[in-house]
Amino acid sequence: MSELAHYVEVELVPGSRESRVPGGRTLKEIEADLKKPGKTLLGAITQAPGESDPFDVWLGPFYMGVFGLVGFVAAVCGAIFYLYEVVFHGPYLSYFSNFIAGSIIPPPPEAGLSFMVGPGNQGFVWLWVVGFATTAFICWLLREVEICNKLEIGYHVPISFGVVVSAWMTLQIFRPVLMGRWAEGFTLGVLPHLDWINLFGYRYFNFYFNIFHCLGITGLWTSTMVLGLHGSAILSGSQSRYGDEIDRVHQFWYDIVGYSIGELGIHKLATLLAAAAVLVSNLCVLFSGWIVMDWVSFWNWWVDMPLWVGM
Amino acid sequence: MAIKANPTTRFKVEDQDPYFDYPADTEIGYHGGRLGFANGGSSSFDVAETPILGPVFRFFGNTQLGPIHMGVMGWIAFICGGAAIFFWLFGMAMLVSYDPIKFAKNFFVLHVDPAPAHYMLWGFGGGLEEGGLWMITTILLTTGLYAWWFRIWSRARANGLKPYLAYGFASALFLYTAIYWVRPMLIGNWSEAPPHGFKGVLEWTNNISFRYGNFYYNPFHMQVIFCALGSTLLLSAHGATIWATAKYGSHEELEEIHEPGTGTERAQMFWRWTIGFNANAYSIHVWAFGFAFLFGVVGCIGITLTGTFIPDWPQWAQDASIIPPQNPPPNVYVPNPITNM
């Protein structure tokens, strides 16, 4: 192995490389090693480790845990409300068309931030679906934390998932609360939420001139490109029949762009880039409507810079 | 050995892989894992061996600028790309009479437009100001991008790798070519192509959506958004999974694909226990490549159909019964299928 390979040094847990098995082990063998009770949050609270947590079980391939149970109940309840409104009371006769076209509208602006929206009124279903969905998302995140604890790995996936949940909560909770009315939340439904996005962009004149929207779109496209770069590099490297494919992949990137980020580096870049894209996109929505009313005249600060203000 | 190894070759493959078999490579059309020439794959043409052009081409074809390999296609790509940027900036400067302060002030606003609509398919329009500069810039840009494609393809081959990156970049080129060349020619008007400039591109994106109804009802646009958001999700999930398990060596993917160790096993168990199934160290990269690849392909389809075969996407969506009619039909009695009332 040359000096090019594995030049990103990581402190490995002893025995990690020695655990490699050509062709890999079966699921049964892996799970016999790793599927063990304990290390749950409920067990830590009750101070009785091990089997004392009644929810510390697997259902088929799924790990349940207390958060799995609560999250599943919340997801089912939310789905019942959602399907009732969208599919069974949609605009069309066909259930499929209703699934695409049906909508759940938030409460009217007059309702403000009130939860006192009765059944049958506009926004009743919306409030319940948003509440159940948020509960389910947070439970899913905590369930991932428990699985990370069981596997003794880092919390990177739950943290990244938390970034996505932050986008949902920014749109449906934080910004409506800051604006003082649930009506600011987005309409639920496959196509109606597209209509909402469309109208939302032009409500503040033009979202294309929203700098955070620009950066968010750039982040999404760059994420797609990086995904293609990494996927293609590993596919070509793993299909090489030479013994030194790592050197070859590094040399390929040196040839193309003069730089190779490395095996761990690309995954760090991936995690941070995707998170940054979503977090910047949060800002583009969060600032609209109370800090910035109009993303076209937002750029007056550029036009009025002292260097060229008279020109 | 069927082919003599060249001393300039970076990798002495025959020393490292006892199962390496040269004839298998010629069977699939490649020469020792290298493309089309016998000197170790540093150039794209055999012309490097010719007496007169040879020294010239060896100068261009064998040089490296720092760590970057140039090659003939590299030179074409960098020169054409640089020229495209020059003509773009030149065209924008012309609009402000070459005043540097005005140029800086309006840098994000200025754009070099394609020929006006009445010139139809005469791409050079009424001279440099009326589409000529746009056409020159676009031709140079396109040449540069295609040379870049060939460059990453031949560099992969020269390093003995299957050119997956070139396949992926081809997907992006499909989208680019559809937007800048195929669609304007199908419609028969260069004014349908995007201008060159920051605000110009944003406005073109905005306006094409309005001109053909609303792009949110374009099912291929929906799929492009799905691929972009899905790619970001996959990138985040994969990156975070490997980062989280890197202390077990899962980031050494090229080894772990063939010999999964405890790092990959933990990563797999994480997703199996979370979502009920898992990819493996190889297949997650097939998912990754596929999502990124589909982004360009689906976008290419969606943009090519717009204005050529589909004039109005909301009307299309209405006909497909995925949005309610904008003008409600007469109030006729239709029973609910569940309650029959």
Side-chain angles (χ1 to χ4, degrees), chain A residues 6 13 17 19-20 23 25 31 92 143 151-152 191 195 198 202 236 239 241-242 248 254-256 302 311, chain B residues 13 17 67 69 105 151 155 159 164 206 214 217 247-248 252 255-256 258 262 265-266 273-274 282 322-323:
Chain A
H6 307 314
V13 173
R17 284 197 180 121
S19 72
R20 286 177 186 157
R25 298 195 292 169
E31 293 206 322
Y92 287 115
R143 179 167 156 266
L151 290 167
E152 296 176 321
L191 274 173
D195 290 335
N198 189 26
Y202 294 116
S236 43
Q239 291 182 22
R241 290 176 295 110
Y242 312 103
R248 288 165 181 273
Y254 287 148
D255 284 357
I256 297 293
W302 174 271
M311 299 191 73
Chain B
V13 292
D17 187 355
H69 183 276
K105 180 184 180 183
R151 180 173 121 83
R155 276 296 92 199
N159 285 297
Y164 271 105
N206 186 43
N214 186 338
Y217 300 126
K247 60 184 171 186
Y248 300 107
E252 294 169 4
E255 281 95 340
E256 293 272 331
H258 301 294
T262 186
E265 286 176 355
R266 280 164 208 263
W273 298 351
T274 304
Y282 178 76
I322 58 171
I323 54 170

Short mmCIF file of all heavy atoms in Angstrom, two decimals, chain A residues 6 13 17 19-20 23 25 31 92 143 151-152 191 195 198 202 236 239 241-242 248 254-256 302 311, chain B residues 13 17 67 69 105 151 155 159 164 206 214 217 247-248 252 255-256 258 262 265-266 273-274 282 322-323:
data_model
loop_
_atom_site.label_atom_id
_atom_site.label_comp_id
_atom_site.label_asym_id
_atom_site.label_seq_id
_atom_site.Cartn_x
_atom_site.Cartn_y
_atom_site.Cartn_z
N HIS A 6 -5.37 5.86 2.36
CA HIS A 6 -5.73 6.12 3.76
C HIS A 6 -4.88 7.24 4.34
O HIS A 6 -4.38 7.13 5.44
CB HIS A 6 -5.55 4.87 4.62
CG HIS A 6 -6.26 3.68 4.09
ND1 HIS A 6 -7.55 3.75 3.66
CD2 HIS A 6 -5.87 2.39 3.94
CE1 HIS A 6 -7.92 2.55 3.24
NE2 HIS A 6 -6.92 1.71 3.39
N VAL A 13 -11.01 1.99 16.46
CA VAL A 13 -11.21 1.08 17.59
C VAL A 13 -10.39 -0.18 17.33
O VAL A 13 -10.44 -0.73 16.21
CB VAL A 13 -12.70 0.74 17.73
CG1 VAL A 13 -12.91 -0.33 18.79
CG2 VAL A 13 -13.49 1.99 18.09
N ARG A 17 -10.24 -3.36 11.82
CA ARG A 17 -9.82 -3.85 10.50
C ARG A 17 -9.72 -5.37 10.51
O ARG A 17 -10.02 -6.02 9.50
CB ARG A 17 -8.47 -3.25 10.12
CG ARG A 17 -8.59 -1.80 9.67
CD ARG A 17 -7.34 -1.36 8.91
NE ARG A 17 -7.47 0.02 8.49
CZ ARG A 17 -6.63 1.00 8.84
NH1 ARG A 17 -5.60 0.74 9.63
NH2 ARG A 17 -6.80 2.21 8.41
N SER A 19 -11.66 -7.33 11.94
CA SER A 19 -12.99 -7.95 11.92
C SER A 19 -13.50 -8.16 10.50
O SER A 19 -14.59 -8.70 10.32
CB SER A 19 -13.98 -7.07 12.68
OG SER A 19 -14.26 -5.91 11.93
N ARG A 20 -12.75 -7.70 9.50
CA ARG A 20 -13.26 -7.81 8.13
C ARG A 20 -13.29 -9.26 7.68
O ARG A 20 -12.34 -10.02 7.90
CB ARG A 20 -12.39 -6.99 7.18
CG ARG A 20 -12.67 -5.51 7.35
CD ARG A 20 -11.78 -4.68 6.48
NE ARG A 20 -12.01 -3.26 6.80
CZ ARG A 20 -11.15 -2.31 6.59
NH1 ARG A 20 -9.98 -2.58 6.04
NH2 ARG A 20 -11.43 -1.06 6.90
N GLY A 23 -16.36 -11.16 1.67
CA GLY A 23 -17.73 -11.48 1.31
C GLY A 23 -18.74 -11.11 2.36
O GLY A 23 -19.93 -11.08 2.08
N ARG A 25 -20.52 -11.18 6.47
CA ARG A 25 -21.25 -12.17 7.23
C ARG A 25 -22.73 -12.07 6.95
O ARG A 25 -23.21 -11.08 6.39
CB ARG A 25 -21.00 -11.95 8.73
CG ARG A 25 -19.56 -12.12 9.13
CD ARG A 25 -19.42 -12.25 10.61
NE ARG A 25 -19.75 -11.02 11.33
CZ ARG A 25 -19.90 -10.95 12.64
NH1 ARG A 25 -19.81 -12.05 13.38
NH2 ARG A 25 -20.18 -9.80 13.23
N GLU A 31 -26.40 -9.99 13.59
CA GLU A 31 -27.35 -9.64 14.65
C GLU A 31 -27.07 -10.43 15.92
O GLU A 31 -27.35 -9.94 17.02
CB GLU A 31 -28.78 -9.87 14.15
CG GLU A 31 -29.15 -8.89 13.04
CD GLU A 31 -30.63 -8.64 12.94
OE1 GLU A 31 -31.38 -9.61 13.13
OE2 GLU A 31 -31.02 -7.49 12.68
N TYR A 92 -62.15 14.99 -5.80
CA TYR A 92 -62.52 14.06 -6.87
C TYR A 92 -63.20 12.83 -6.31
O TYR A 92 -63.25 12.62 -5.09
CB TYR A 92 -61.27 13.61 -7.64
CG TYR A 92 -60.69 14.67 -8.54
CD1 TYR A 92 -59.43 15.19 -8.29
CD2 TYR A 92 -61.39 15.15 -9.64
CE1 TYR A 92 -58.88 16.15 -9.10
CE2 TYR A 92 -60.85 16.11 -10.46
CZ TYR A 92 -59.60 16.61 -10.19
OH TYR A 92 -59.06 17.56 -10.99
N ARG A 143 -35.52 7.70 18.67
CA ARG A 143 -35.34 6.27 18.44
C ARG A 143 -34.00 6.01 17.75
O ARG A 143 -33.28 5.06 18.09
CB ARG A 143 -36.50 5.76 17.59
CG ARG A 143 -36.44 4.30 17.23
CD ARG A 143 -37.78 3.85 16.69
NE ARG A 143 -37.64 2.68 15.83
CZ ARG A 143 -37.52 2.73 14.52
NH1 ARG A 143 -37.50 3.91 13.91
NH2 ARG A 143 -37.41 1.63 13.81
N LEU A 151 -25.57 0.49 19.18
CA LEU A 151 -24.51 0.09 18.25
C LEU A 151 -23.17 0.74 18.60
O LEU A 151 -22.17 0.45 17.95
CB LEU A 151 -24.90 0.44 16.82
CG LEU A 151 -26.03 -0.40 16.23
CD1 LEU A 151 -26.55 0.22 14.96
CD2 LEU A 151 -25.55 -1.81 15.96
N GLU A 152 -23.18 1.63 19.59
CA GLU A 152 -21.98 2.35 19.99
C GLU A 152 -21.34 3.09 18.82
O GLU A 152 -20.14 3.00 18.57
CB GLU A 152 -20.97 1.40 20.65
CG GLU A 152 -21.48 0.81 21.94
CD GLU A 152 -20.53 -0.20 22.55
OE1 GLU A 152 -19.94 -0.97 21.79
OE2 GLU A 152 -20.40 -0.20 23.77
N LEU A 191 -50.20 18.07 -4.30
CA LEU A 191 -50.11 19.23 -5.18
C LEU A 191 -50.41 20.55 -4.47
O LEU A 191 -49.78 21.56 -4.77
CB LEU A 191 -51.01 19.06 -6.40
CG LEU A 191 -50.33 18.30 -7.52
CD1 LEU A 191 -51.28 17.99 -8.64
CD2 LEU A 191 -49.15 19.08 -8.06
N ASP A 195 -48.71 24.45 -4.73
CA ASP A 195 -49.37 25.75 -4.92
C ASP A 195 -48.94 26.72 -3.83
O ASP A 195 -48.69 27.90 -4.09
CB ASP A 195 -50.89 25.56 -4.86
CG ASP A 195 -51.41 24.82 -6.08
OD1 ASP A 195 -50.74 24.87 -7.12
OD2 ASP A 195 -52.47 24.19 -5.97
N ASN A 198 -45.50 28.04 -4.52
CA ASN A 198 -45.57 28.97 -5.63
C ASN A 198 -46.05 30.34 -5.16
O ASN A 198 -45.42 31.37 -5.39
CB ASN A 198 -46.54 28.37 -6.67
CG ASN A 198 -46.54 29.13 -7.96
OD1 ASN A 198 -45.56 29.78 -8.28
ND2 ASN A 198 -47.64 29.06 -8.68
N TYR A 202 -44.07 34.34 -4.60
CA TYR A 202 -44.45 35.61 -5.24
C TYR A 202 -45.10 36.57 -4.25
O TYR A 202 -45.26 37.75 -4.55
CB TYR A 202 -45.35 35.34 -6.44
CG TYR A 202 -44.59 34.61 -7.51
CD1 TYR A 202 -44.92 33.33 -7.91
CD2 TYR A 202 -43.48 35.21 -8.09
CE1 TYR A 202 -44.19 32.65 -8.86
CE2 TYR A 202 -42.73 34.55 -9.04
CZ TYR A 202 -43.09 33.27 -9.42
OH TYR A 202 -42.35 32.62 -10.35
N SER A 236 -16.56 3.10 -9.52
CA SER A 236 -15.43 2.76 -10.40
C SER A 236 -14.31 2.12 -9.62
O SER A 236 -13.67 1.18 -10.11
CB SER A 236 -14.96 4.00 -11.17
OG SER A 236 -14.90 5.11 -10.35
N GLN A 239 -15.12 -1.54 -8.78
CA GLN A 239 -15.19 -2.46 -9.92
C GLN A 239 -13.83 -2.65 -10.56
O GLN A 239 -13.72 -3.38 -11.55
CB GLN A 239 -16.19 -1.93 -10.96
CG GLN A 239 -17.62 -2.02 -10.44
CD GLN A 239 -18.62 -1.56 -11.47
OE1 GLN A 239 -18.34 -1.56 -12.65
NE2 GLN A 239 -19.79 -1.19 -11.01
N ARG A 241 -10.22 -4.19 -11.02
CA ARG A 241 -9.71 -5.53 -10.72
C ARG A 241 -8.24 -5.47 -10.33
O ARG A 241 -7.60 -6.50 -10.20
CB ARG A 241 -9.91 -6.46 -11.91
CG ARG A 241 -11.38 -6.78 -12.14
CD ARG A 241 -11.62 -7.61 -13.36
NE ARG A 241 -11.28 -6.87 -14.55
CZ ARG A 241 -10.25 -7.16 -15.32
NH1 ARG A 241 -9.48 -8.18 -15.03
NH2 ARG A 241 -10.00 -6.44 -16.39
N TYR A 242 -7.70 -4.27 -10.15
CA TYR A 242 -6.33 -4.14 -9.71
C TYR A 242 -6.30 -4.10 -8.18
O TYR A 242 -7.30 -3.84 -7.53
CB TYR A 242 -5.70 -2.87 -10.28
CG TYR A 242 -5.94 -2.69 -11.74
CD1 TYR A 242 -6.87 -1.79 -12.20
CD2 TYR A 242 -5.24 -3.46 -12.66
CE1 TYR A 242 -7.11 -1.63 -13.55
CE2 TYR A 242 -5.47 -3.30 -14.01
CZ TYR A 242 -6.40 -2.39 -14.46
OH TYR A 242 -6.62 -2.23 -15.78
N ARG A 248 -5.54 4.55 -7.37
CA ARG A 248 -6.06 4.95 -8.68
C ARG A 248 -7.14 6.02 -8.54
O ARG A 248 -7.17 6.99 -9.31
CB ARG A 248 -6.61 3.74 -9.41
CG ARG A 248 -5.52 2.84 -9.89
CD ARG A 248 -6.06 1.50 -10.28
NE ARG A 248 -4.94 0.67 -10.71
CZ ARG A 248 -4.48 0.64 -11.96
NH1 ARG A 248 -5.06 1.35 -12.89
NH2 ARG A 248 -3.44 -0.09 -12.27
N TYR A 254 -6.55 13.71 -8.50
CA TYR A 254 -5.42 14.62 -8.70
C TYR A 254 -5.35 15.06 -10.15
O TYR A 254 -5.14 16.23 -10.46
CB TYR A 254 -4.11 13.92 -8.34
CG TYR A 254 -3.89 13.72 -6.87
CD1 TYR A 254 -3.18 12.63 -6.40
CD2 TYR A 254 -4.38 14.62 -5.94
CE1 TYR A 254 -2.97 12.44 -5.05
CE2 TYR A 254 -4.18 14.44 -4.59
CZ TYR A 254 -3.47 13.34 -4.16
OH TYR A 254 -3.28 13.15 -2.84
N ASP A 255 -5.53 14.11 -11.07
CA ASP A 255 -5.46 14.45 -12.49
C ASP A 255 -6.54 15.45 -12.87
O ASP A 255 -6.31 16.38 -13.64
CB ASP A 255 -5.66 13.18 -13.34
CG ASP A 255 -4.42 12.31 -13.36
OD1 ASP A 255 -3.42 12.72 -12.77
OD2 ASP A 255 -4.47 11.23 -13.96
N ILE A 256 -7.76 15.25 -12.36
CA ILE A 256 -8.89 16.06 -12.80
C ILE A 256 -8.86 17.44 -12.16
O ILE A 256 -8.92 18.46 -12.86
CB ILE A 256 -10.21 15.35 -12.43
CG1 ILE A 256 -10.34 14.02 -13.18
CG2 ILE A 256 -11.40 16.23 -12.76
CD1 ILE A 256 -10.48 14.17 -14.65
N TRP A 302 -27.40 47.16 -1.96
CA TRP A 302 -26.33 47.02 -2.96
C TRP A 302 -26.29 48.23 -3.88
O TRP A 302 -25.24 48.81 -4.14
CB TRP A 302 -26.55 45.73 -3.74
CG TRP A 302 -25.60 45.55 -4.89
CD1 TRP A 302 -25.75 45.98 -6.16
CD2 TRP A 302 -24.33 44.88 -4.85
NE1 TRP A 302 -24.68 45.62 -6.93
CE2 TRP A 302 -23.78 44.95 -6.14
CE3 TRP A 302 -23.60 44.23 -3.85
CZ2 TRP A 302 -22.56 44.39 -6.46
CZ3 TRP A 302 -22.38 43.68 -4.17
CH2 TRP A 302 -21.87 43.77 -5.46
N MET A 311 -24.43 56.81 -9.50
CA MET A 311 -24.25 56.45 -10.92
C MET A 311 -25.51 55.85 -11.53
O MET A 311 -26.19 55.09 -10.91
CB MET A 311 -23.08 55.48 -11.05
CG MET A 311 -21.81 56.09 -10.57
SD MET A 311 -20.36 55.10 -10.99
CE MET A 311 -20.24 55.41 -12.74
N VAL B 13 0.41 -2.99 -12.79
CA VAL B 13 -0.71 -3.82 -12.36
C VAL B 13 -0.32 -5.29 -12.31
O VAL B 13 -0.78 -6.03 -11.44
CB VAL B 13 -1.91 -3.63 -13.31
CG1 VAL B 13 -2.46 -2.25 -13.13
CG2 VAL B 13 -1.51 -3.86 -14.73
N ASP B 17 -1.54 -7.69 -8.93
CA ASP B 17 -2.73 -8.53 -8.96
C ASP B 17 -2.41 -9.83 -9.67
O ASP B 17 -2.26 -9.84 -10.89
CB ASP B 17 -3.86 -7.80 -9.67
CG ASP B 17 -5.15 -8.58 -9.57
OD1 ASP B 17 -5.13 -9.71 -9.04
OD2 ASP B 17 -6.19 -8.07 -10.03
N PRO B 67 -0.54 19.40 -9.72
CA PRO B 67 -1.06 18.03 -9.73
C PRO B 67 -2.07 17.78 -10.83
O PRO B 67 -2.47 16.65 -11.05
CB PRO B 67 -1.73 17.91 -8.35
CG PRO B 67 -2.10 19.29 -7.99
CD PRO B 67 -1.11 20.19 -8.63
N HIS B 69 -3.62 17.10 -14.34
CA HIS B 69 -3.25 16.60 -15.65
C HIS B 69 -3.95 17.43 -16.70
O HIS B 69 -5.16 17.65 -16.62
CB HIS B 69 -3.64 15.14 -15.77
CG HIS B 69 -3.21 14.54 -17.08
ND1 HIS B 69 -3.95 14.67 -18.22
CD2 HIS B 69 -2.10 13.85 -17.43
CE1 HIS B 69 -3.32 14.06 -19.21
NE2 HIS B 69 -2.19 13.57 -18.75
N LYS B 105 -21.09 47.63 -10.27
CA LYS B 105 -22.39 47.85 -9.66
C LYS B 105 -23.44 46.92 -10.25
O LYS B 105 -24.27 46.35 -9.54
CB LYS B 105 -22.81 49.31 -9.87
CG LYS B 105 -24.17 49.64 -9.27
CD LYS B 105 -24.58 51.07 -9.59
CE LYS B 105 -25.93 51.37 -8.98
NZ LYS B 105 -26.39 52.72 -9.34
N ARG B 151 -12.32 14.56 -21.13
CA ARG B 151 -11.14 14.55 -20.25
C ARG B 151 -11.36 13.62 -19.06
O ARG B 151 -10.51 12.77 -18.75
CB ARG B 151 -10.91 15.98 -19.77
CG ARG B 151 -9.76 16.19 -18.86
CD ARG B 151 -9.62 17.69 -18.66
NE ARG B 151 -9.73 18.03 -17.25
CZ ARG B 151 -8.70 17.96 -16.40
NH1 ARG B 151 -7.54 17.56 -16.82
NH2 ARG B 151 -8.86 18.29 -15.15
N ARG B 155 -9.26 10.25 -18.46
CA ARG B 155 -8.46 10.15 -17.24
C ARG B 155 -8.85 8.91 -16.44
O ARG B 155 -8.00 8.23 -15.87
CB ARG B 155 -8.63 11.41 -16.39
CG ARG B 155 -7.75 12.54 -16.76
CD ARG B 155 -6.28 12.25 -16.56
NE ARG B 155 -5.66 11.70 -17.74
CZ ARG B 155 -4.53 11.03 -17.74
NH1 ARG B 155 -3.88 10.82 -16.63
NH2 ARG B 155 -4.05 10.54 -18.85
N ASN B 159 -6.27 5.74 -15.76
CA ASN B 159 -6.00 5.23 -14.42
C ASN B 159 -6.60 3.86 -14.20
O ASN B 159 -6.62 3.37 -13.07
CB ASN B 159 -6.51 6.21 -13.36
CG ASN B 159 -5.62 7.42 -13.24
OD1 ASN B 159 -4.46 7.30 -12.88
ND2 ASN B 159 -6.15 8.57 -13.58
N TYR B 164 -17.29 5.97 -14.46
CA TYR B 164 -18.60 6.31 -13.92
C TYR B 164 -18.81 7.80 -13.80
O TYR B 164 -19.92 8.30 -13.97
CB TYR B 164 -18.80 5.64 -12.55
CG TYR B 164 -19.39 4.27 -12.65
CD1 TYR B 164 -18.61 3.15 -12.45
CD2 TYR B 164 -20.72 4.09 -12.95
CE1 TYR B 164 -19.14 1.88 -12.56
CE2 TYR B 164 -21.26 2.84 -13.06
CZ TYR B 164 -20.48 1.73 -12.85
OH TYR B 164 -21.01 0.49 -12.97
N ASN B 206 -37.58 31.88 -13.95
CA ASN B 206 -38.87 32.38 -13.51
C ASN B 206 -39.85 32.44 -14.69
O ASN B 206 -40.97 31.96 -14.61
CB ASN B 206 -38.66 33.78 -12.90
CG ASN B 206 -39.92 34.33 -12.29
OD1 ASN B 206 -40.63 33.61 -11.60
ND2 ASN B 206 -40.17 35.59 -12.53
N ASN B 214 -47.25 26.78 -15.43
CA ASN B 214 -46.62 26.81 -14.11
C ASN B 214 -45.84 25.51 -13.97
O ASN B 214 -46.38 24.42 -14.06
CB ASN B 214 -47.70 26.92 -13.04
CG ASN B 214 -47.12 27.08 -11.66
OD1 ASN B 214 -45.96 26.73 -11.41
ND2 ASN B 214 -47.90 27.63 -10.76
N TYR B 217 -46.60 22.21 -12.01
CA TYR B 217 -47.48 21.15 -12.51
C TYR B 217 -46.80 20.29 -13.57
O TYR B 217 -47.44 19.45 -14.19
CB TYR B 217 -48.77 21.77 -13.07
CG TYR B 217 -49.52 22.54 -12.02
CD1 TYR B 217 -49.90 23.86 -12.24
CD2 TYR B 217 -49.84 21.95 -10.82
CE1 TYR B 217 -50.56 24.57 -11.28
CE2 TYR B 217 -50.51 22.66 -9.85
CZ TYR B 217 -50.86 23.96 -10.08
OH TYR B 217 -51.52 24.67 -9.12
N LYS B 247 -14.93 5.30 13.25
CA LYS B 247 -13.96 4.78 14.22
C LYS B 247 -13.84 3.27 14.13
O LYS B 247 -12.92 2.69 14.71
CB LYS B 247 -14.34 5.22 15.64
CG LYS B 247 -15.70 4.74 16.08
CD LYS B 247 -16.05 5.31 17.46
CE LYS B 247 -17.50 5.02 17.80
NZ LYS B 247 -17.93 5.65 19.03
N TYR B 248 -14.78 2.63 13.43
CA TYR B 248 -14.65 1.19 13.17
C TYR B 248 -14.12 0.92 11.76
O TYR B 248 -14.20 -0.21 11.28
CB TYR B 248 -16.01 0.50 13.34
CG TYR B 248 -16.59 0.64 14.72
CD1 TYR B 248 -17.65 1.48 14.97
CD2 TYR B 248 -16.04 -0.07 15.79
CE1 TYR B 248 -18.18 1.62 16.23
CE2 TYR B 248 -16.55 0.08 17.07
CZ TYR B 248 -17.62 0.92 17.28
OH TYR B 248 -18.13 1.06 18.54
N GLU B 252 -13.23 3.23 4.99
CA GLU B 252 -12.34 2.63 4.00
C GLU B 252 -13.19 1.75 3.09
O GLU B 252 -13.12 0.52 3.11
CB GLU B 252 -11.24 1.84 4.71
CG GLU B 252 -10.33 2.76 5.50
CD GLU B 252 -9.39 2.02 6.44
OE1 GLU B 252 -9.40 0.78 6.43
OE2 GLU B 252 -8.67 2.69 7.18
N GLU B 255 -12.18 -1.22 0.69
CA GLU B 255 -11.93 -2.50 1.36
C GLU B 255 -13.22 -3.10 1.89
O GLU B 255 -13.48 -4.29 1.75
CB GLU B 255 -10.94 -2.34 2.52
CG GLU B 255 -9.50 -2.27 2.11
CD GLU B 255 -9.04 -0.84 1.96
OE1 GLU B 255 -9.92 0.04 1.80
OE2 GLU B 255 -7.83 -0.58 1.98
N GLU B 256 -14.03 -2.23 2.53
CA GLU B 256 -15.22 -2.74 3.21
C GLU B 256 -16.24 -3.32 2.23
O GLU B 256 -17.06 -4.14 2.61
CB GLU B 256 -15.86 -1.61 4.01
CG GLU B 256 -15.01 -1.14 5.18
CD GLU B 256 -15.27 -1.94 6.46
OE1 GLU B 256 -16.40 -2.43 6.63
OE2 GLU B 256 -14.35 -2.05 7.28
N HIS B 258 -15.57 -5.23 -0.28
CA HIS B 258 -15.22 -6.63 -0.52
C HIS B 258 -15.14 -7.42 0.76
O HIS B 258 -15.45 -8.61 0.78
CB HIS B 258 -13.89 -6.71 -1.28
CG HIS B 258 -13.93 -5.99 -2.60
ND1 HIS B 258 -14.72 -6.42 -3.64
CD2 HIS B 258 -13.30 -4.86 -3.02
CE1 HIS B 258 -14.56 -5.59 -4.66
NE2 HIS B 258 -13.72 -4.64 -4.31
N THR B 262 -16.66 -4.67 11.10
CA THR B 262 -17.67 -4.31 12.09
C THR B 262 -18.25 -2.92 11.84
O THR B 262 -19.40 -2.65 12.19
CB THR B 262 -17.07 -4.44 13.50
OG1 THR B 262 -18.11 -4.22 14.45
CG2 THR B 262 -15.97 -3.41 13.73
N GLU B 265 -20.92 -3.35 9.28
CA GLU B 265 -22.00 -4.12 9.90
C GLU B 265 -22.86 -3.23 10.79
O GLU B 265 -24.10 -3.32 10.79
CB GLU B 265 -21.42 -5.28 10.71
CG GLU B 265 -20.89 -6.41 9.85
CD GLU B 265 -20.22 -7.50 10.66
OE1 GLU B 265 -20.07 -7.32 11.89
OE2 GLU B 265 -19.84 -8.52 10.07
N ARG B 266 -22.21 -2.38 11.57
CA ARG B 266 -22.98 -1.48 12.44
C ARG B 266 -23.79 -0.50 11.61
O ARG B 266 -24.95 -0.20 11.94
CB ARG B 266 -22.03 -0.73 13.38
CG ARG B 266 -21.59 -1.56 14.55
CD ARG B 266 -20.38 -0.96 15.24
NE ARG B 266 -19.59 -2.00 15.89
CZ ARG B 266 -19.68 -2.30 17.19
NH1 ARG B 266 -20.50 -1.64 17.95
NH2 ARG B 266 -18.96 -3.26 17.70
N TRP B 273 -32.49 -1.63 11.61
CA TRP B 273 -33.34 -1.46 12.79
C TRP B 273 -34.18 -0.19 12.71
O TRP B 273 -35.23 -0.11 13.31
CB TRP B 273 -32.46 -1.40 14.06
CG TRP B 273 -31.69 -2.65 14.31
CD1 TRP B 273 -31.83 -3.82 13.63
CD2 TRP B 273 -30.66 -2.86 15.26
NE1 TRP B 273 -30.95 -4.76 14.11
CE2 TRP B 273 -30.21 -4.19 15.12
CE3 TRP B 273 -30.07 -2.06 16.22
CZ2 TRP B 273 -29.20 -4.72 15.90
CZ3 TRP B 273 -29.06 -2.59 17.01
CH2 TRP B 273 -28.63 -3.91 16.85
N THR B 274 -33.70 0.81 11.94
CA THR B 274 -34.45 2.06 11.85
C THR B 274 -35.55 2.00 10.81
O THR B 274 -36.71 2.31 11.11
CB THR B 274 -33.49 3.22 11.52
OG1 THR B 274 -32.46 3.26 12.49
CG2 THR B 274 -34.23 4.54 11.53
N TYR B 282 -21.66 -1.43 -1.05
CA TYR B 282 -21.64 -1.21 -2.50
C TYR B 282 -22.94 -0.57 -2.97
O TYR B 282 -22.95 0.43 -3.68
CB TYR B 282 -21.41 -2.54 -3.23
CG TYR B 282 -21.42 -2.39 -4.73
CD1 TYR B 282 -20.33 -1.84 -5.39
CD2 TYR B 282 -22.52 -2.79 -5.48
CE1 TYR B 282 -20.34 -1.69 -6.76
CE2 TYR B 282 -22.53 -2.64 -6.85
CZ TYR B 282 -21.44 -2.09 -7.49
OH TYR B 282 -21.44 -1.93 -8.83
N ILE B 322 -55.04 15.63 -11.79
CA ILE B 322 -54.26 15.73 -10.56
C ILE B 322 -54.41 17.10 -9.91
O ILE B 322 -53.92 17.30 -8.82
CB ILE B 322 -52.77 15.39 -10.77
CG1 ILE B 322 -52.14 16.31 -11.79
CG2 ILE B 322 -52.59 13.94 -11.15
CD1 ILE B 322 -50.65 16.15 -11.87
N ILE B 323 -55.07 18.05 -10.58
CA ILE B 323 -55.49 19.26 -9.87
C ILE B 323 -56.95 19.51 -10.20
O ILE B 323 -57.42 19.14 -11.28
CB ILE B 323 -54.66 20.51 -10.23
CG1 ILE B 323 -54.64 20.75 -11.75
CG2 ILE B 323 -53.26 20.40 -9.70
CD1 ILE B 323 -54.05 22.08 -12.13
#
